[in-house]
Amino acid sequence: MAYIKINQDNIKDKNKAIKICPFSAIEEKNGLINITSGCKMCKICVKQMPDIYSFIEGKQSKINKDDWKGITVYVDHVEGDIHPVTYELIGKAKEMAKKINHPVYCLFSGNNIKHKAEEILKYGVDEVFVYDNEELEDFRIEPYTAVFEDFINNVQPTIILVGGTTVGRSLAPRVAARFKTGLTADCTILDVRENTDLDQIRPAFGGNIMAHIHTPNHRPQFATVRYKIFDAPEKLQKINGKITECKIDVEKLKSNIEVLEIKKKEKVKSIEEAEVIVVAGNGIKKETDLKMIHQLADKLGGMVATTRPLIEAGWTEAKDQIGLSGRTVKPKLIITCGVSGSIQFVAGMNSSDVIFAINNDPKAQIFDVANYGIVGDLYEVIPELLKKM
Amino acid sequence: MNITVCIKQVPGTSEVEIDEKTGNLIREGIDSKMNPFDLHAIETALKIKEQEDSEISVISMGPPQALDIIKEAYMLGVDNGYLLTDRKFAGADVLATAYALSQGIEQMKKYDLIICGKMTTDGDTAQVGPEIAEFLDIPHVANVKKILDINSKSITVEMDMPETVEIQKVTLPCLITVEKEICQPRLPSYKLKLATSERKIEQITFDDLKDNDATNFGLDGSPTQVLDIFPPTSDKTSEKWEGNGKELGEKLANKLKEMKFV
Ligand SMILES: Cc1cc2nc3c(=O)[nH]c(=O)nc-3n(C[C@H](O)[C@H](O)[C@H](O)COP(=O)(O)OP(=O)(O)OC[C@H]3O[C@@H](n4cnc5c(N)ncnc54)[C@H](O)[C@@H]3O)c2cc1C
Ligand SMILES: Nc1ncnc2c1ncn2[C@@H]1O[C@H](COP(=O)(O)O)[C@@H](O)[C@H]1O
């Protein structure tokens, strides 16, 4: 079994050896230093105190990585309307596939969707696998998982990318668990190694830290990625790829779920579509002060978005939250007002074209990502700005 | 009806940072609390109990400190509590967590419905629920924002999709993950605190589970591994403006005009 070995003899300062763990998972018991079940295997202790802590690899079932070929993108769609995150993932898949000389595949399942597969090929996919069945009319977890399973068994792709949409976040874990393989949620950086191992990077441990994660002994490797993290490729003039229709035994598409009704929500423009965004952060003192943020957004023809604390205060709505647990945006212009720039927030907006940040704390982290950092009191800067516009 | 709710203890002040010089993690305040999303899961169960004769059990996987959140669940009105704890579970990723929980759940009272929070504030994956459902081989519905009907055979829920709301009727047993908006959690009751102060919390360890292959748990049972952690970097060129509010406001207005945003 893999574990962290403790060399008790090398411990000179017990307290220091205990304090090294940021998760308080190291304790002293009967005079000995112990690692408790709170351990998150961040390996900080191994890195910082190698003479005391060492990581012992467990024995791992070695898979034959050559048996797994191709990078697959799951086509996220509602009744054939393909979600643009799909194209962004195809862009990333192509970039990685080139490195390891693998094909790019798409898995497209639904009802009456065949004719839409052509559109996907325009983005330079090598092969689209289509499952077109009545039973796949609405998204229900069991039939969609069954199709995914069938596809993986037949095609054996090494990497599978799924959009971090409502459907993707429900389906990907289900399929990953069926294959007892790893899944990394909300990756912000992806790359592939020569041996086809996927390098996955995401903010982690609920803090201002990036974690570099890999799946060295399992295939396929699963990752979900949010909308607007990567760029969609240009459409091709000439199509090279092909469409493969797949058959699946309808017995496998049985479900315990019945879809009774689908209600259209009133379509409100979402912040993801906005070209200009003004963000209200915790530097806003009262709810009524949001008026000035709205005025600024109106003058710029943009929308107002917000950080999490304001939603928790009940001043703004969850759908307007930017960040890891909110929306990812990529506008032409974003102005943050009284936002500290925590990694969870920044992960949702740092690929915006131009970032302005107003904050009165010169050390605020938001200035690390801003193109224009305005060190000042938003209650002075914004009224003046409104006057001059 | 037997309802099982999965709850997790998370850091109270979730600000972990990394010291750029030493590479050490800095954690301010190590106090912990119940994952706020799981309070909504518990409340959902309590609401069902008000309508339909039910027994509610919670399970949490974590170190012994997690007993605190189970006691809190008792103060909210939960009937039974189980703590799944063993050093063999340490270092578990999503798969190993969900697998251990599914094994633990099988040691508990038979369930008709399992409720999970939408996500945790520290793991933040929203994946544990669907994976538990897969290991238990039951259907699941994620992003549930309303329960329309529940009876001994099925549950009818509203699933929140970006542009639509889908009404799904699911046969029991099944698992749902619930949105915050499904209900407003109640506060712990002092009366229940007194009444439940002696109530037992069942501990489940590795030896109690059906699967006795330790390599399926903890770090060994985790396909994903953390290679490295590091502070985020940025390579964008940036400039910083200082001055009084008037100067800055004017400079900003001019820049926006220059860039043709106004
Ligand atoms: C797992 C996880 C996921 C999360 N997901 C998200 C997410 O998706 N989105 C999100 O936003 N947060 C998220 N958070 C919370 C996040 O960590 C931060 O707590 C949050 O983003 C902080 O919001 P803020 O910058 O508005 O507030 P604060 O951090 O309180 O910052 C306020 C800033 O305003 C400045 N300020 C104060 N007064 C003035 C003034 N008069 N003029 C100018 N500046 C002023 C201060 O200097 C400060 O920098 C998440 C947290 C976790 C643990
Ligand atoms: N260690 C755990 N113990 C009990 N339940 C958990 C645990 N981890 C996650 N869960 C459940 O799974 C949900 C989603 O968690 P996550 O995938 O970590 O975002 C949570 O809201 C809990 O209901």
Side-chain angles (χ1 to χ4, degrees), chain A residues 80-96:
Chain A
D81 278 340
I82 296 169
H83 192 291
V85 71
T86 308
Y87 302 127
E88 297 172 358
L89 293 181
I90 290 172
K92 180 48 87 175
K94 279 170 69 175
E95 190 189 309
M96 294 195 295

Side-chain angles (χ1 to χ4, degrees), chain A residues 262-286:
Chain A
I262 297 179
K263 293 192 286 194
K264 277 258 176 290
K265 278 200 250 181
E266 214 178 301
K267 186 144 170 66
V268 276
K269 195 178 164 202
S270 72
I271 53 172
E272 282 140 315
E273 297 159 46
E275 299 212 322
V276 174
I277 295 178
V278 183
V279 187
N282 216 5
I284 305 286
K285 308 248 165 5
K286 316 191 287 301

Side-chain angles (χ1 to χ4, degrees), chain B residues 126-159:
Chain B
Q127 292 171 347
V128 168
E131 295 214 355
I132 294 174
E134 170 63 22
F135 286 125
L136 294 172
D137 198 18
I138 55 174
H140 81 260
V141 185
N143 303 89
V144 170
K145 60 176 229 171
K146 202 170 183 181
I147 294 178
L148 299 174
D149 180 52
I150 182 159
N151 56 53
S152 60
K153 290 202 181 59
S154 70
I155 180 169
T156 305
V157 299
E158 280 190 7
M159 172 170 79

